């Protein structure tokens, strides 16, 4: 009986890891990535605000350029994205635990389509946002060998959190180089560069986005704020 008591906790823990499909070496790599991108500063990320320039492409040529302002409340599971043409607000997409809403200057307010709402929510656990968790709270983490996404190569690590899956590509200094995941546009590949420190968090200020291998957008951050005070009025729809 004592032997069961002594080893029961260990056996149970092994069962949890097996159920969660978390490979220790892969989880350790996620911890190293979190450290490379800010360590405790990233782990303490609660809110985030970003202003970026988004350029879309039609073939190899730029098609449209707009300003995108994002607000994220991680504990509250709220995310808001505003699209602006100069100073003119043209569209808002927003999700919260209560649901998703959209607004546009043409169509006004309406409920967000469920698939699009889910894709926005997934963003809380993808991109560099997902690195705030390190190896904790994952359902699946495994190494996937050396891979090449676009023109970038590195160690691949597959991660699933709350049903949201992505594959990160990791550089020699444990920095995020790229990622790939499936969404409504097919396979989305994002290549990251221009890492800059903001309040202790190393954020990629440039991203190139590819849908099924074709470049469709580039995003350049103009301003990033870590843990700003996001008051309730920030999340009010127009």
């Amino acid at each position: 009986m004592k032997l069961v008591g002594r080893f029961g906790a260990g056996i149970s823990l092994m069962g949890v890891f097996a159920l969660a499909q978390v490979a220790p070496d892969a989880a350790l790599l996620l911890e190293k990535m979190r450290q490379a991108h800010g360590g405790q500063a990233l782990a303490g990320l609660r809110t985030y605000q970003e202003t970026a320039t988004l350029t879309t492409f039609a073939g190899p040529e730029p098609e449209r350029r707009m300003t995108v302002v994002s607000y994220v409340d991680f504990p509250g599971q709220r995310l808001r994205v505003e699209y602006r043409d100069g100073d003119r607000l043209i569209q808002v997409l927003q999700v919260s635990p209560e649901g998703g809403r959209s607004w546009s200057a043409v169509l006004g307010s309406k409920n967000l389509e469920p698939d699009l709402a889910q894709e926005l929510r997934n963003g809380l656990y993808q991109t560099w946002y997902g690195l705030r968790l390190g190896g904790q709270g994952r359902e699946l983490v495994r190494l996937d060998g050396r891979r090449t996404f676009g023109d970038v190569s590195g160690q691949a690590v597959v991660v699933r959190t709350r049903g949201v899956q992505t594959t990160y590509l990791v550089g020699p200094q444990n920095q995020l180089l790229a990622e790939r995941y499936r969404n409504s546009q097919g396979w989305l590949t994002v290549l990251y560069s221009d890492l800059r420190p903001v309040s202790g968090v190393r954020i990629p200020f440039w991203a190139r986005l590819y849908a099924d291998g074709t470049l469709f957008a580039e995003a350049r951050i103009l301003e990033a704020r870590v843990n700003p005070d996001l008051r309730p009025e920030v999340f009010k729809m127009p």
Side-chain angles (χ1 to χ4, degrees):
M1 295 297 293
K2 289 184 179 179
L3 286 176
V4 172
R6 177 180 297 178
F7 295 108
I11 292 172
S12 298
L13 186 60
M14 289 173 62
V16 169
F17 274 110
L19 182 63
Q21 301 180 336
V22 175
D25 53 350
L28 179 59
L29 180 56
L30 287 179
E31 291 292 343
K32 291 179 178 179
M33 292 181 73
R34 177 165 65 176
Q35 189 63 35
H37 282 267
Q40 288 303 311
L42 180 55
L45 183 66
R46 297 180 61 81
T47 60
Y48 179 68
Q49 179 179 338
E50 173 186 294
T51 302
T53 297
L54 180 70
T55 303
T56 59
F57 290 82
E61 299 300 322
E63 178 183 35
R64 187 176 184 183
R65 182 173 285 108
M66 67 189 82
T67 300
V68 181
V69 183
S70 304
Y71 304 89
V72 190
D73 170 11
F74 293 102
Q77 299 284 294
R78 295 184 297 176
L79 187 151
R80 176 185 177 99
V81 183
E82 300 177 351
Y83 296 89
R84 297 178 177 272
D85 184 1
D87 293 331
R88 184 171 67 93
L89 183 64
I90 58 176
Q91 188 177 27
V92 177
L93 305 177
Q94 182 168 301
V95 291
S96 70
E98 291 72 39
R101 296 286 292 172
S102 70
W103 174 91
S104 74
V106 175
L107 299 176
S109 295
K110 64 176 183 177
N111 290 329
L112 204 56
E113 295 85 351
D115 289 348
L116 181 53
Q118 186 59 54
E119 286 186 9
L120 283 174
R121 289 191 186 94
N122 290 352
L124 296 169
Y125 302 101
Q126 295 166 331
T127 76
W128 65 269
Y129 295 169
L131 299 180
R132 73 189 189 280
L133 302 175
Q136 301 173 347
R138 308 297 193 174
E139 298 160 355
L140 179 147
V141 186
R142 62 176 172 83
L143 299 180
D144 198 33
R146 188 167 181 83
R147 301 277 300 278
T148 298
F149 294 169
D151 57 3
V152 177
S153 298
Q155 170 66 56
V157 56
V158 180
V159 185
R160 186 172 68 236
T161 311
R162 299 193 180 186
V164 181
Q165 185 161 315
T166 192
T167 299
Y168 289 132
L169 210 60
V170 189
Q173 279 76 49
N174 300 312
Q175 77 276 26
L176 176 63
L177 297 177
E179 75 176 306
R180 178 172 290 168
Y181 54 87
R182 183 179 287 278
N183 69 3
S184 60
Q185 299 182 66
W187 283 103
L188 186 71
T189 301
V190 188
L191 309 183
Y192 299 102
S193 57
D194 193 15
L195 288 176
R196 303 185 194 180
V198 179
S199 300
V201 179
R202 296 187 70 203
I203 297 171
F205 268 58
W206 185 29
R208 290 175 287 160
L209 295 85
Y210 296 79
D212 289 333
T214 300
L215 178 69
F216 76 91
E218 288 184 350
R220 289 185 179 272
I221 295 177
L222 304 175
E223 181 185 20
R225 299 177 61 199
V226 169
N227 290 329
D229 182 14
L230 298 182
R231 299 183 181 276
E233 52 265 29
V234 168
F235 293 95
K236 288 184 177 180
M237 295 299 289

